[in-house]
Amino acid sequence: MYSLNKGLKTFGIVTSIGMLIVLLQGALVTKTGSAEGCGATWPLCYGQLIPESSAKETIIEYSHRAWSGLMGMFVFILAVWSWKKLSHLRETKFLALMAVLFILFQGFMGAGAVIWGNNNIVLALHFGISTISFAAVALLTVLAFEDGKSGVTKVQVSKTYRNYLFGVLVYSYLVIYTGAYVKHTGATYVCSGFPLCNGSLFPDMGSGTAYQLSIHMIHRAAAVLLAVLFFVLLIWTIRRFRRYSVLFFGSIAVFLLVLVQAGAGISILFVDSYLPPALVHSLTITVLFTVLSYMGMVITRNNSY
């Protein structure tokens, strides 16, 4: 069945860009300390529909709330639209449900953090959920572009490769969580310099910031291992599955993105302005996770040999 789905494609692109803005706004709220910019009230801001306060923190937090609410409606429309037009594609219903459930979950967690206080674990998970929500929306958009072609992209890979890729996908999400947790526990600057931490490969854990130092070092180690895993994926793909362009270019993309993401994270320790590299750090890991998710979606379309 051939279908251009022109309107759906356009709406999917708009919604994907909008969700990326939501994610960056959320990172901006965290990195500027604006989480309490509207007080402890939700969905109102200081009990007002439109806040009178012109404080920077209030503007940032209120803008994030308003845009997130708008994008929540966009995601719901995209999910229903995709369900109706693309239900013949295997992944559509699952991704539509994921998109709606995770945007709702994301909103409830954000509201809960405001009303019941900011919990570091919940706030870190909030970013991870935003990443999954964006990936689901982006993949729905990809399906709209695949529909109507001679056939969806399919590959045939070994079971070992497939398990490895999904293992890396899960592990990358855990690394995302540890990075968010570093920020929310105030552990970003407990280490000066890189690769050494405070001039030592194994810094002293006996200080008053021992917990923060441990969190920071765990994230560093996890991020380095992630880069190694992506390098292995790249070499494996080039040697065995380079005939599949989606895997070949996808593995190159995720490896380059993890280098950019690492570079942005390291530069935070050395530059005067914290915000730009921190936002790049958040952006690249989100795009990386989405590309890896697409690779995972594609390799499930055929039985392994």
Side-chain angles (χ1 to χ4, degrees):
M1 182 175 63
Y2 182 75
S3 174
L4 289 176
N5 293 320
K6 229 179 207 182
L8 180 58
K9 293 175 185 177
T10 302
F11 191 77
I13 292 173
V14 171
T15 306
S16 297
I17 294 173
M19 284 298 296
L20 198 58
I21 293 173
V22 168
L23 192 142
L24 289 175
Q25 281 183 322
L28 183 64
V29 167
T30 298
K31 297 176 194 313
T32 58
S34 303
E36 298 179 358
C38 281
T41 60
W42 189 94
L44 300 179
C45 186
Y46 287 121
Q48 302 169 325
L49 183 60
I50 301 177
E52 296 177 358
S53 174
S54 59
K56 178 187 71 175
E57 292 78 10
T58 301
I59 294 173
I60 292 174
E61 170 65 10
Y62 183 74
S63 299
H64 178 52
R65 290 190 187 187
W67 187 257
S68 296
L70 177 63
M71 284 302 105
M73 291 188 289
F74 272 50
V75 169
F76 181 77
I77 293 171
L78 178 67
V80 173
W81 197 346
S82 300
W83 192 293
K84 289 184 175 181
K85 294 292 185 179
L86 306 174
S87 59
H88 55 284
L89 297 179
R90 183 178 64 97
E91 302 91 355
T92 301
K93 293 181 179 180
F94 172 74
L95 289 174
L97 287 173
M98 288 283 285
V100 172
L101 289 177
F102 274 87
I103 194 69
L104 289 174
F105 196 18
Q106 177 185 346
F108 288 145
M109 290 189 71
V114 171
I115 297 171
W116 296 300
N118 295 322
N119 180 281
N120 292 331
I121 294 177
V122 173
L123 289 173
L125 190 58
H126 182 64
F127 180 77
I129 289 172
S130 300
T131 302
I132 294 177
S133 183
F134 170 78
V137 168
L139 293 185
L140 276 176
T141 303
V142 170
L143 289 182
F145 278 88
E146 285 188 341
D147 186 39
K149 293 184 177 180
S150 57
V152 296
T153 303
K154 293 182 179 180
V155 301
Q156 189 175 35
V157 300
S158 64
K159 184 177 180 181
T160 305
Y161 181 89
R162 183 179 61 187
N163 291 341
Y164 182 84
L165 192 147
F166 277 109
V168 174
L169 179 63
V170 172
Y171 180 73
S172 66
Y173 181 79
L174 296 177
V175 175
I176 290 173
Y177 180 80
T178 63
Y181 195 61
V182 164
K183 170 57 187 174
H184 288 295
T185 55
T188 302
Y189 290 108
V190 295
C191 280
S192 60
F194 184 90
L196 300 180
C197 177
N198 302 329
S200 174
L201 184 60
F202 301 101
D204 179 21
M205 297 289 183
S207 65
T209 59
Y211 179 71
Q212 293 174 313
L213 198 58
S214 299
I215 295 300
H216 188 108
M217 293 302 293
I218 288 172
H219 177 60
R220 281 196 182 194
V224 170
L225 178 57
L226 183 63
V228 173
L229 293 175
F230 280 132
F231 181 70
V232 172
L233 180 67
L234 174 62
I235 299 302
W236 194 347
T237 304
I238 291 174
R239 293 187 63 181
R240 294 289 308 278
F241 306 112
R242 65 181 303 164
R243 64 188 180 278
Y244 300 122
S245 59
V246 63
L247 298 182
F248 178 68
F249 290 110
S251 61
I252 293 174
V254 293
F255 181 66
L256 293 178
L257 284 168
V258 80
L259 294 181
V260 172
Q261 196 259 350
I266 293 169
S267 68
I268 291 173
L269 302 174
F270 298 98
V271 298
D272 294 330
S273 179
Y274 164 78
L275 193 56
L279 291 178
V280 171
H281 192 64
S282 300
L283 174 64
T284 51
I285 194 63
T286 301
V287 175
L288 183 157
F289 183 81
T290 303
V291 173
L292 195 62
S293 296
Y294 178 63
M295 293 172 65
M297 182 177 74
V298 168
I299 66 174
T300 63
R301 287 173 172 169
N302 267 344
N303 293 326
S304 60
Y305 60 81

